[in-house]
Amino acid sequence: MAVVYNITFVISPDRESDFLGWLRSEAVPILFASDAGAVNPRLHTVIEAGGEKPGPEHGLSMALQAEFDSEESAGRWNDEVLPSVLRDFHSSFGPHALFFTTLLQVVGL
């Protein structure tokens, strides 16, 4: 059973360039290291929510997704790899930044 782990980061829009630099140079190499179990990184940004474009007061939401071959491997990654990256995110972008995670099961159509 394939699963997708989604981490949505919410930051101040004026920190987008800093965030992308941090993500590319610091986070992705750790999160997607060959022994981490995560594959196929994808990054999305929210451009519309509920039919409306969010204003700058809502922050910039960017979702990083990783694929796993099982819920168990995603759980190990969550416990062993992700915490240090999220601590670094908070250290670099907090306290006015946040994140939330979602684990999704891939369902064929």
Side-chain angles (χ1 to χ4, degrees):
M1 161 183 61
V3 297
V4 173
Y5 199 109
N6 181 85
I7 310 161
T8 300
F9 298 94
V10 182
I11 59 169
S12 174
D14 65 344
R15 299 290 312 270
E16 180 178 7
S17 179
D18 296 335
F19 175 75
L20 290 172
W22 170 83
L23 194 66
R24 291 175 178 135
S25 66
E26 303 292 327
V28 168
I30 294 169
L31 296 173
F32 294 89
S34 60
D35 61 346
V39 296
N40 298 329
R42 290 185 306 274
L43 183 64
H44 310 273
T45 187
V46 174
I47 59 171
E48 188 175 292
E52 296 185 20
K53 295 195 179 295
E57 69 279 1
H58 289 107
L60 174 66
S61 297
M62 300 192 85
L64 177 66
Q65 294 182 340
E67 293 181 13
F68 295 88
D69 59 6
S70 69
E71 189 175 341
E72 293 75 25
S73 63
R76 281 191 302 277
W77 183 81
N78 176 78
D79 295 344
E80 298 171 7
V81 179
L82 187 57
S84 66
V85 172
L86 295 179
R87 279 192 302 274
D88 188 46
F89 168 75
H90 181 65
S91 173
S92 299
F93 297 95
H96 302 290
L98 60 92
F99 67 88
F100 61 91
T101 63
T102 310
L103 186 61
L104 307 165
Q105 180 178 347
V106 176
V107 179
L109 291 176

